[in-house]
Amino acid sequence: MRDLAVGLGYLWQGQRWVAGHRRRLGLGLLPGLVTLVLYAGALIGLAYGADEFVVWATPFAADWSDPWGGLFRGFLVFLVFALGLLLAVVTFTAVTLLIGQPFYDALSAQVDRSRSPDGTAPESELPFWRDLFISTRDSLRIVVRVLVWGILLFAFGFLPFVGQSVIPAIGFCVTGFFLAEELAAVALQRRGVQLRERLTLLRSRRLLAWGFGVPLALAFLVPFAAVFLMPGAVAGATLLTRDLLDEPNRADTDEPSNPPTGPTEP
């Protein structure tokens, strides 16, 4: 259970780091804002079209007596929108990171430098276009995994009681885990850690990933919150990455902590 608190602590520390380095905020809000506008339009369209989709998909319920037909279709509309929302929360992060990759890479590297004992940060040896290709490919793989989970959760949502209580909780855990992976990927990719290794690392410390990702997933449901939280989430995920890899940390500062040189006073 300690890892839950540690994960939440990294999320908070990341927001504090960005608040204390406001010059790093700047354009970091723009990718999230662009993505938010796109996703808001898609979710509004889903809200208007979900009812028609459910009616088209369930012709057998047209002859059901009231109120069962209406309740059944209403519940399916809720599940369709919930599935769309789950996909939106996870893919929002992926799309925002792709749009703002140069900024978020630089921000993550600065967090590494501020916490590294020698004031250095791991750097990718790949050209920018190659890093972008890998990020896009891995994001698509994560989206496929989330889609599979979403379909399973949608199916189990039909179970009485369980579908209305346990399944939504599992959905937030799944969303939180993949959010943690997407955000930690910024720092891990600079270290040459591939997707399979990243997933293995996070699975070995699921509580840490949930402690970081689940509160973030809940916060992302608040309108505009994702835009303002993204830079701090990337910073916090970099701190989480250092923990996963057992890298040493020091107090946050803008200057490297070099050992003193020359004679010292007795």
Side-chain angles (χ1 to χ4, degrees), residues 107-140:
L107 185 151
S108 176
Q110 182 61 33
V111 174
D112 270 325
R113 281 191 287 270
S114 73
R115 292 304 181 97
S116 174
D118 59 3
T120 62
E123 296 292 343
S124 173
E125 298 180 356
L126 299 175
F128 170 75
W129 68 267
R130 180 64 179 169
D131 273 331
L132 184 61
F133 170 77
I134 293 174
S135 296
T136 305
R137 180 197 65 191
D138 290 349
S139 294
L140 289 175

PDB file of all heavy atoms in Angstrom, residues 107-140:
ATOM      1  N   LEU A 107      11.296  19.171 -21.063  1.00  0.00           N
ATOM      2  CA  LEU A 107      10.853  19.318 -19.676  1.00  0.00           C
ATOM      3  C   LEU A 107      11.305  18.121 -18.846  1.00  0.00           C
ATOM      4  O   LEU A 107      11.833  18.271 -17.734  1.00  0.00           O
ATOM      5  CB  LEU A 107       9.330  19.460 -19.637  1.00  0.00           C
ATOM      6  CG  LEU A 107       8.670  19.749 -18.283  1.00  0.00           C
ATOM      7  CD1 LEU A 107       7.381  20.548 -18.483  1.00  0.00           C
ATOM      8  CD2 LEU A 107       8.339  18.468 -17.521  1.00  0.00           C
ATOM      9  N   SER A 108      11.104  16.904 -19.384  1.00  0.00           N
ATOM     10  CA  SER A 108      11.499  15.691 -18.669  1.00  0.00           C
ATOM     11  C   SER A 108      13.004  15.667 -18.428  1.00  0.00           C
ATOM     12  O   SER A 108      13.465  15.289 -17.339  1.00  0.00           O
ATOM     13  CB  SER A 108      11.066  14.457 -19.474  1.00  0.00           C
ATOM     14  OG  SER A 108      11.516  13.272 -18.867  1.00  0.00           O
ATOM     15  N   ALA A 109      13.783  16.080 -19.435  1.00  0.00           N
ATOM     16  CA  ALA A 109      15.235  16.114 -19.269  1.00  0.00           C
ATOM     17  C   ALA A 109      15.645  17.112 -18.196  1.00  0.00           C
ATOM     18  O   ALA A 109      16.582  16.857 -17.426  1.00  0.00           O
ATOM     19  CB  ALA A 109      15.898  16.458 -20.607  1.00  0.00           C
ATOM     20  N   GLN A 110      14.959  18.241 -18.122  1.00  0.00           N
ATOM     21  CA  GLN A 110      15.270  19.237 -17.095  1.00  0.00           C
ATOM     22  C   GLN A 110      14.963  18.697 -15.697  1.00  0.00           C
ATOM     23  O   GLN A 110      15.708  18.956 -14.748  1.00  0.00           O
ATOM     24  CB  GLN A 110      14.486  20.520 -17.352  1.00  0.00           C
ATOM     25  CG  GLN A 110      14.782  21.639 -16.365  1.00  0.00           C
ATOM     26  CD  GLN A 110      16.241  22.067 -16.396  1.00  0.00           C
ATOM     27  OE1 GLN A 110      16.884  22.030 -17.447  1.00  0.00           O
ATOM     28  NE2 GLN A 110      16.771  22.455 -15.263  1.00  0.00           N
ATOM     29  N   VAL A 111      13.869  17.937 -15.565  1.00  0.00           N
ATOM     30  CA  VAL A 111      13.565  17.309 -14.272  1.00  0.00           C
ATOM     31  C   VAL A 111      14.678  16.340 -13.898  1.00  0.00           C
ATOM     32  O   VAL A 111      15.135  16.304 -12.746  1.00  0.00           O
ATOM     33  CB  VAL A 111      12.206  16.579 -14.328  1.00  0.00           C
ATOM     34  CG1 VAL A 111      11.961  15.796 -13.035  1.00  0.00           C
ATOM     35  CG2 VAL A 111      11.075  17.576 -14.541  1.00  0.00           C
ATOM     36  N   ASP A 112      15.132  15.546 -14.871  1.00  0.00           N
ATOM     37  CA  ASP A 112      16.236  14.615 -14.608  1.00  0.00           C
ATOM     38  C   ASP A 112      17.476  15.358 -14.132  1.00  0.00           C
ATOM     39  O   ASP A 112      18.137  14.943 -13.173  1.00  0.00           O
ATOM     40  CB  ASP A 112      16.557  13.818 -15.876  1.00  0.00           C
ATOM     41  CG  ASP A 112      15.759  12.531 -15.979  1.00  0.00           C
ATOM     42  OD1 ASP A 112      15.505  11.907 -14.932  1.00  0.00           O
ATOM     43  OD2 ASP A 112      15.396  12.145 -17.100  1.00  0.00           O
ATOM     44  N   ARG A 113      17.815  16.461 -14.816  1.00  0.00           N
ATOM     45  CA  ARG A 113      19.006  17.220 -14.426  1.00  0.00           C
ATOM     46  C   ARG A 113      18.869  17.806 -13.027  1.00  0.00           C
ATOM     47  O   ARG A 113      19.837  17.895 -12.279  1.00  0.00           O
ATOM     48  CB  ARG A 113      19.271  18.336 -15.457  1.00  0.00           C
ATOM     49  CG  ARG A 113      19.946  17.842 -16.726  1.00  0.00           C
ATOM     50  CD  ARG A 113      20.419  18.994 -17.593  1.00  0.00           C
ATOM     51  NE  ARG A 113      19.293  19.650 -18.244  1.00  0.00           N
ATOM     52  CZ  ARG A 113      18.817  19.307 -19.438  1.00  0.00           C
ATOM     53  NH1 ARG A 113      19.360  18.299 -20.095  1.00  0.00           N
ATOM     54  NH2 ARG A 113      17.803  19.964 -19.967  1.00  0.00           N
ATOM     55  N   SER A 114      17.638  18.214 -12.684  1.00  0.00           N
ATOM     56  CA  SER A 114      17.434  18.824 -11.369  1.00  0.00           C
ATOM     57  C   SER A 114      17.511  17.807 -10.241  1.00  0.00           C
ATOM     58  O   SER A 114      17.718  18.183  -9.094  1.00  0.00           O
ATOM     59  CB  SER A 114      16.078  19.537 -11.327  1.00  0.00           C
ATOM     60  OG  SER A 114      15.001  18.617 -11.272  1.00  0.00           O
ATOM     61  N   ARG A 115      17.347  16.525 -10.546  1.00  0.00           N
ATOM     62  CA  ARG A 115      17.370  15.488  -9.519  1.00  0.00           C
ATOM     63  C   ARG A 115      18.599  14.592  -9.576  1.00  0.00           C
ATOM     64  O   ARG A 115      18.839  13.820  -8.665  1.00  0.00           O
ATOM     65  CB  ARG A 115      16.109  14.623  -9.645  1.00  0.00           C
ATOM     66  CG  ARG A 115      14.809  15.353  -9.299  1.00  0.00           C
ATOM     67  CD  ARG A 115      14.875  15.935  -7.903  1.00  0.00           C
ATOM     68  NE  ARG A 115      13.655  16.625  -7.527  1.00  0.00           N
ATOM     69  CZ  ARG A 115      12.669  16.100  -6.807  1.00  0.00           C
ATOM     70  NH1 ARG A 115      12.769  14.850  -6.400  1.00  0.00           N
ATOM     71  NH2 ARG A 115      11.605  16.808  -6.492  1.00  0.00           N
ATOM     72  N   SER A 116      19.356  14.669 -10.668  1.00  0.00           N
ATOM     73  CA  SER A 116      20.551  13.837 -10.793  1.00  0.00           C
ATOM     74  C   SER A 116      21.688  14.397  -9.941  1.00  0.00           C
ATOM     75  O   SER A 116      21.915  15.611  -9.927  1.00  0.00           O
ATOM     76  CB  SER A 116      20.990  13.773 -12.255  1.00  0.00           C
ATOM     77  OG  SER A 116      22.214  13.095 -12.375  1.00  0.00           O
ATOM     78  N   PRO A 117      22.432  13.565  -9.218  1.00  0.00           N
ATOM     79  CA  PRO A 117      23.549  14.063  -8.396  1.00  0.00           C
ATOM     80  C   PRO A 117      24.603  14.818  -9.189  1.00  0.00           C
ATOM     81  O   PRO A 117      25.244  15.724  -8.668  1.00  0.00           O
ATOM     82  CB  PRO A 117      24.121  12.777  -7.786  1.00  0.00           C
ATOM     83  CG  PRO A 117      22.988  11.815  -7.775  1.00  0.00           C
ATOM     84  CD  PRO A 117      22.198  12.120  -9.007  1.00  0.00           C
ATOM     85  N   ASP A 118      24.797  14.455 -10.461  1.00  0.00           N
ATOM     86  CA  ASP A 118      25.810  15.148 -11.261  1.00  0.00           C
ATOM     87  C   ASP A 118      25.202  16.167 -12.216  1.00  0.00           C
ATOM     88  O   ASP A 118      25.905  16.738 -13.053  1.00  0.00           O
ATOM     89  CB  ASP A 118      26.666  14.147 -12.043  1.00  0.00           C
ATOM     90  CG  ASP A 118      25.833  13.272 -12.977  1.00  0.00           C
ATOM     91  OD1 ASP A 118      24.599  13.489 -13.057  1.00  0.00           O
ATOM     92  OD2 ASP A 118      26.411  12.382 -13.625  1.00  0.00           O
ATOM     93  N   GLY A 119      23.887  16.402 -12.101  1.00  0.00           N
ATOM     94  CA  GLY A 119      23.242  17.417 -12.915  1.00  0.00           C
ATOM     95  C   GLY A 119      23.121  17.075 -14.381  1.00  0.00           C
ATOM     96  O   GLY A 119      22.969  17.968 -15.222  1.00  0.00           O
ATOM     97  N   THR A 120      23.160  15.782 -14.726  1.00  0.00           N
ATOM     98  CA  THR A 120      23.035  15.365 -16.124  1.00  0.00           C
ATOM     99  C   THR A 120      21.717  14.630 -16.327  1.00  0.00           C
ATOM    100  O   THR A 120      21.042  14.246 -15.369  1.00  0.00           O
ATOM    101  CB  THR A 120      24.191  14.450 -16.536  1.00  0.00           C
ATOM    102  OG1 THR A 120      24.161  13.255 -15.724  1.00  0.00           O
ATOM    103  CG2 THR A 120      25.527  15.159 -16.355  1.00  0.00           C
ATOM    104  N   ALA A 121      21.354  14.428 -17.601  1.00  0.00           N
ATOM    105  CA  ALA A 121      20.130  13.714 -17.940  1.00  0.00           C
ATOM    106  C   ALA A 121      20.414  12.744 -19.081  1.00  0.00           C
ATOM    107  O   ALA A 121      21.185  13.075 -19.993  1.00  0.00           O
ATOM    108  CB  ALA A 121      19.038  14.695 -18.361  1.00  0.00           C
ATOM    109  N   PRO A 122      19.812  11.559 -19.051  1.00  0.00           N
ATOM    110  CA  PRO A 122      19.967  10.639 -20.192  1.00  0.00           C
ATOM    111  C   PRO A 122      19.403  11.271 -21.455  1.00  0.00           C
ATOM    112  O   PRO A 122      18.373  11.943 -21.421  1.00  0.00           O
ATOM    113  CB  PRO A 122      19.140   9.417 -19.767  1.00  0.00           C
ATOM    114  CG  PRO A 122      18.991   9.534 -18.286  1.00  0.00           C
ATOM    115  CD  PRO A 122      18.972  10.997 -17.987  1.00  0.00           C
ATOM    116  N   GLU A 123      20.078  11.069 -22.555  1.00  0.00           N
ATOM    117  CA  GLU A 123      19.637  11.627 -23.840  1.00  0.00           C
ATOM    118  C   GLU A 123      19.523  10.509 -24.866  1.00  0.00           C
ATOM    119  O   GLU A 123      20.369   9.624 -24.926  1.00  0.00           O
ATOM    120  CB  GLU A 123      20.627  12.684 -24.338  1.00  0.00           C
ATOM    121  CG  GLU A 123      20.748  13.910 -23.449  1.00  0.00           C
ATOM    122  CD  GLU A 123      19.491  14.767 -23.422  1.00  0.00           C
ATOM    123  OE1 GLU A 123      18.645  14.595 -24.331  1.00  0.00           O
ATOM    124  OE2 GLU A 123      19.355  15.594 -22.506  1.00  0.00           O
ATOM    125  N   SER A 124      18.453  10.581 -25.660  1.00  0.00           N
ATOM    126  CA  SER A 124      18.277   9.607 -26.736  1.00  0.00           C
ATOM    127  C   SER A 124      19.332   9.842 -27.809  1.00  0.00           C
ATOM    128  O   SER A 124      19.643  10.969 -28.166  1.00  0.00           O
ATOM    129  CB  SER A 124      16.882   9.738 -27.343  1.00  0.00           C
ATOM    130  OG  SER A 124      16.750   8.906 -28.483  1.00  0.00           O
ATOM    131  N   GLU A 125      19.898   8.760 -28.324  1.00  0.00           N
ATOM    132  CA  GLU A 125      20.887   8.858 -29.390  1.00  0.00           C
ATOM    133  C   GLU A 125      20.250   8.782 -30.775  1.00  0.00           C
ATOM    134  O   GLU A 125      20.942   8.801 -31.792  1.00  0.00           O
ATOM    135  CB  GLU A 125      21.932   7.749 -29.233  1.00  0.00           C
ATOM    136  CG  GLU A 125      22.713   7.840 -27.924  1.00  0.00           C
ATOM    137  CD  GLU A 125      23.742   6.726 -27.785  1.00  0.00           C
ATOM    138  OE1 GLU A 125      23.777   5.852 -28.685  1.00  0.00           O
ATOM    139  OE2 GLU A 125      24.490   6.738 -26.791  1.00  0.00           O
ATOM    140  N   LEU A 126      18.907   8.677 -30.809  1.00  0.00           N
ATOM    141  CA  LEU A 126      18.204   8.556 -32.081  1.00  0.00           C
ATOM    142  C   LEU A 126      17.840   9.934 -32.617  1.00  0.00           C
ATOM    143  O   LEU A 126      17.629  10.870 -31.846  1.00  0.00           O
ATOM    144  CB  LEU A 126      16.923   7.728 -31.900  1.00  0.00           C
ATOM    145  CG  LEU A 126      17.114   6.286 -31.408  1.00  0.00           C
ATOM    146  CD1 LEU A 126      15.758   5.642 -31.160  1.00  0.00           C
ATOM    147  CD2 LEU A 126      17.912   5.476 -32.412  1.00  0.00           C
ATOM    148  N   PRO A 127      17.725  10.084 -33.937  1.00  0.00           N
ATOM    149  CA  PRO A 127      17.253  11.353 -34.495  1.00  0.00           C
ATOM    150  C   PRO A 127      15.804  11.606 -34.122  1.00  0.00           C
ATOM    151  O   PRO A 127      15.058  10.669 -33.792  1.00  0.00           O
ATOM    152  CB  PRO A 127      17.417  11.163 -36.014  1.00  0.00           C
ATOM    153  CG  PRO A 127      17.465   9.680 -36.217  1.00  0.00           C
ATOM    154  CD  PRO A 127      18.083   9.104 -34.979  1.00  0.00           C
ATOM    155  N   PHE A 128      15.403  12.880 -34.203  1.00  0.00           N
ATOM    156  CA  PHE A 128      14.059  13.264 -33.763  1.00  0.00           C
ATOM    157  C   PHE A 128      12.977  12.479 -34.483  1.00  0.00           C
ATOM    158  O   PHE A 128      12.026  12.006 -33.863  1.00  0.00           O
ATOM    159  CB  PHE A 128      13.847  14.766 -33.981  1.00  0.00           C
ATOM    160  CG  PHE A 128      12.426  15.200 -33.769  1.00  0.00           C
ATOM    161  CD1 PHE A 128      11.898  15.314 -32.491  1.00  0.00           C
ATOM    162  CD2 PHE A 128      11.596  15.474 -34.856  1.00  0.00           C
ATOM    163  CE1 PHE A 128      10.579  15.690 -32.280  1.00  0.00           C
ATOM    164  CE2 PHE A 128      10.278  15.860 -34.660  1.00  0.00           C
ATOM    165  CZ  PHE A 128       9.769  15.974 -33.373  1.00  0.00           C
ATOM    166  N   TRP A 129      13.113  12.343 -35.814  1.00  0.00           N
ATOM    167  CA  TRP A 129      12.060  11.656 -36.577  1.00  0.00           C
ATOM    168  C   TRP A 129      11.905  10.210 -36.136  1.00  0.00           C
ATOM    169  O   TRP A 129      10.797   9.665 -36.131  1.00  0.00           O
ATOM    170  CB  TRP A 129      12.354  11.724 -38.077  1.00  0.00           C
ATOM    171  CG  TRP A 129      13.555  10.931 -38.516  1.00  0.00           C
ATOM    172  CD1 TRP A 129      14.837  11.372 -38.652  1.00  0.00           C
ATOM    173  CD2 TRP A 129      13.574   9.535 -38.858  1.00  0.00           C
ATOM    174  NE1 TRP A 129      15.666  10.351 -39.051  1.00  0.00           N
ATOM    175  CE2 TRP A 129      14.925   9.209 -39.199  1.00  0.00           C
ATOM    176  CE3 TRP A 129      12.608   8.540 -38.920  1.00  0.00           C
ATOM    177  CZ2 TRP A 129      15.303   7.921 -39.581  1.00  0.00           C
ATOM    178  CZ3 TRP A 129      12.985   7.259 -39.304  1.00  0.00           C
ATOM    179  CH2 TRP A 129      14.319   6.958 -39.627  1.00  0.00           C
ATOM    180  N   ARG A 130      13.024   9.566 -35.745  1.00  0.00           N
ATOM    181  CA  ARG A 130      12.972   8.180 -35.287  1.00  0.00           C
ATOM    182  C   ARG A 130      12.284   8.086 -33.930  1.00  0.00           C
ATOM    183  O   ARG A 130      11.457   7.199 -33.698  1.00  0.00           O
ATOM    184  CB  ARG A 130      14.389   7.616 -35.207  1.00  0.00           C
ATOM    185  CG  ARG A 130      14.476   6.167 -34.738  1.00  0.00           C
ATOM    186  CD  ARG A 130      13.804   5.212 -35.696  1.00  0.00           C
ATOM    187  NE  ARG A 130      13.910   3.828 -35.235  1.00  0.00           N
ATOM    188  CZ  ARG A 130      13.244   2.816 -35.764  1.00  0.00           C
ATOM    189  NH1 ARG A 130      12.433   3.028 -36.800  1.00  0.00           N
ATOM    190  NH2 ARG A 130      13.386   1.592 -35.289  1.00  0.00           N
ATOM    191  N   ASP A 131      12.603   9.017 -33.029  1.00  0.00           N
ATOM    192  CA  ASP A 131      11.918   9.061 -31.739  1.00  0.00           C
ATOM    193  C   ASP A 131      10.416   9.273 -31.919  1.00  0.00           C
ATOM    194  O   ASP A 131       9.597   8.650 -31.227  1.00  0.00           O
ATOM    195  CB  ASP A 131      12.496  10.189 -30.876  1.00  0.00           C
ATOM    196  CG  ASP A 131      13.700   9.738 -30.070  1.00  0.00           C
ATOM    197  OD1 ASP A 131      13.771   8.538 -29.734  1.00  0.00           O
ATOM    198  OD2 ASP A 131      14.570  10.571 -29.783  1.00  0.00           O
ATOM    199  N   LEU A 132      10.067  10.167 -32.844  1.00  0.00           N
ATOM    200  CA  LEU A 132       8.655  10.437 -33.095  1.00  0.00           C
ATOM    201  C   LEU A 132       7.948   9.204 -33.647  1.00  0.00           C
ATOM    202  O   LEU A 132       6.819   8.886 -33.244  1.00  0.00           O
ATOM    203  CB  LEU A 132       8.508  11.608 -34.070  1.00  0.00           C
ATOM    204  CG  LEU A 132       7.073  12.077 -34.368  1.00  0.00           C
ATOM    205  CD1 LEU A 132       6.406  12.559 -33.089  1.00  0.00           C
ATOM    206  CD2 LEU A 132       7.088  13.176 -35.425  1.00  0.00           C
ATOM    207  N   PHE A 133       8.601   8.485 -34.538  1.00  0.00           N
ATOM    208  CA  PHE A 133       8.022   7.260 -35.088  1.00  0.00           C
ATOM    209  C   PHE A 133       7.785   6.225 -33.988  1.00  0.00           C
ATOM    210  O   PHE A 133       6.726   5.595 -33.916  1.00  0.00           O
ATOM    211  CB  PHE A 133       8.944   6.675 -36.165  1.00  0.00           C
ATOM    212  CG  PHE A 133       8.537   5.295 -36.619  1.00  0.00           C
ATOM    213  CD1 PHE A 133       7.480   5.111 -37.494  1.00  0.00           C
ATOM    214  CD2 PHE A 133       9.223   4.180 -36.149  1.00  0.00           C
ATOM    215  CE1 PHE A 133       7.093   3.842 -37.896  1.00  0.00           C
ATOM    216  CE2 PHE A 133       8.845   2.898 -36.550  1.00  0.00           C
ATOM    217  CZ  PHE A 133       7.784   2.728 -37.423  1.00  0.00           C
ATOM    218  N   ILE A 134       8.788   6.039 -33.111  1.00  0.00           N
ATOM    219  CA  ILE A 134       8.657   5.062 -32.028  1.00  0.00           C
ATOM    220  C   ILE A 134       7.530   5.456 -31.084  1.00  0.00           C
ATOM    221  O   ILE A 134       6.725   4.612 -30.658  1.00  0.00           O
ATOM    222  CB  ILE A 134       9.989   4.928 -31.268  1.00  0.00           C
ATOM    223  CG1 ILE A 134      11.050   4.295 -32.175  1.00  0.00           C
ATOM    224  CG2 ILE A 134       9.812   4.099 -30.000  1.00  0.00           C
ATOM    225  CD1 ILE A 134      12.436   4.263 -31.569  1.00  0.00           C
ATOM    226  N   SER A 135       7.446   6.750 -30.759  1.00  0.00           N
ATOM    227  CA  SER A 135       6.382   7.225 -29.867  1.00  0.00           C
ATOM    228  C   SER A 135       5.014   6.971 -30.479  1.00  0.00           C
ATOM    229  O   SER A 135       4.085   6.509 -29.791  1.00  0.00           O
ATOM    230  CB  SER A 135       6.557   8.717 -29.589  1.00  0.00           C
ATOM    231  OG  SER A 135       7.746   8.962 -28.890  1.00  0.00           O
ATOM    232  N   THR A 136       4.873   7.261 -31.770  1.00  0.00           N
ATOM    233  CA  THR A 136       3.590   7.045 -32.450  1.00  0.00           C
ATOM    234  C   THR A 136       3.233   5.570 -32.486  1.00  0.00           C
ATOM    235  O   THR A 136       2.099   5.177 -32.187  1.00  0.00           O
ATOM    236  CB  THR A 136       3.648   7.605 -33.881  1.00  0.00           C
ATOM    237  OG1 THR A 136       4.032   8.978 -33.837  1.00  0.00           O
ATOM    238  CG2 THR A 136       2.301   7.483 -34.557  1.00  0.00           C
ATOM    239  N   ARG A 137       4.194   4.745 -32.844  1.00  0.00           N
ATOM    240  CA  ARG A 137       3.955   3.299 -32.905  1.00  0.00           C
ATOM    241  C   ARG A 137       3.556   2.742 -31.544  1.00  0.00           C
ATOM    242  O   ARG A 137       2.575   1.982 -31.428  1.00  0.00           O
ATOM    243  CB  ARG A 137       5.220   2.604 -33.404  1.00  0.00           C
ATOM    244  CG  ARG A 137       5.110   1.083 -33.529  1.00  0.00           C
ATOM    245  CD  ARG A 137       6.480   0.466 -33.624  1.00  0.00           C
ATOM    246  NE  ARG A 137       7.237   0.679 -32.392  1.00  0.00           N
ATOM    247  CZ  ARG A 137       8.544   0.426 -32.283  1.00  0.00           C
ATOM    248  NH1 ARG A 137       9.235   0.002 -33.331  1.00  0.00           N
ATOM    249  NH2 ARG A 137       9.170   0.637 -31.133  1.00  0.00           N
ATOM    250  N   ASP A 138       4.294   3.118 -30.495  1.00  0.00           N
ATOM    251  CA  ASP A 138       3.990   2.605 -29.157  1.00  0.00           C
ATOM    252  C   ASP A 138       2.643   3.119 -28.658  1.00  0.00           C
ATOM    253  O   ASP A 138       1.906   2.391 -27.984  1.00  0.00           O
ATOM    254  CB  ASP A 138       5.095   3.005 -28.180  1.00  0.00           C
ATOM    255  CG  ASP A 138       6.402   2.260 -28.441  1.00  0.00           C
ATOM    256  OD1 ASP A 138       6.380   1.293 -29.237  1.00  0.00           O
ATOM    257  OD2 ASP A 138       7.427   2.654 -27.866  1.00  0.00           O
ATOM    258  N   SER A 139       2.307   4.358 -28.991  1.00  0.00           N
ATOM    259  CA  SER A 139       1.011   4.905 -28.579  1.00  0.00           C
ATOM    260  C   SER A 139      -0.132   4.133 -29.228  1.00  0.00           C
ATOM    261  O   SER A 139      -1.147   3.846 -28.588  1.00  0.00           O
ATOM    262  CB  SER A 139       0.919   6.392 -28.939  1.00  0.00           C
ATOM    263  OG  SER A 139       1.838   7.150 -28.196  1.00  0.00           O
ATOM    264  N   LEU A 140       0.030   3.779 -30.488  1.00  0.00           N
ATOM    265  CA  LEU A 140      -0.998   2.990 -31.176  1.00  0.00           C
ATOM    266  C   LEU A 140      -1.141   1.611 -30.532  1.00  0.00           C
ATOM    267  O   LEU A 140      -2.256   1.090 -30.399  1.00  0.00           O
ATOM    268  CB  LEU A 140      -0.649   2.850 -32.658  1.00  0.00           C
ATOM    269  CG  LEU A 140      -0.796   4.125 -33.497  1.00  0.00           C
ATOM    270  CD1 LEU A 140      -0.290   3.881 -34.918  1.00  0.00           C
ATOM    271  CD2 LEU A 140      -2.252   4.595 -33.522  1.00  0.00           C
TER     272      LEU A 140
END
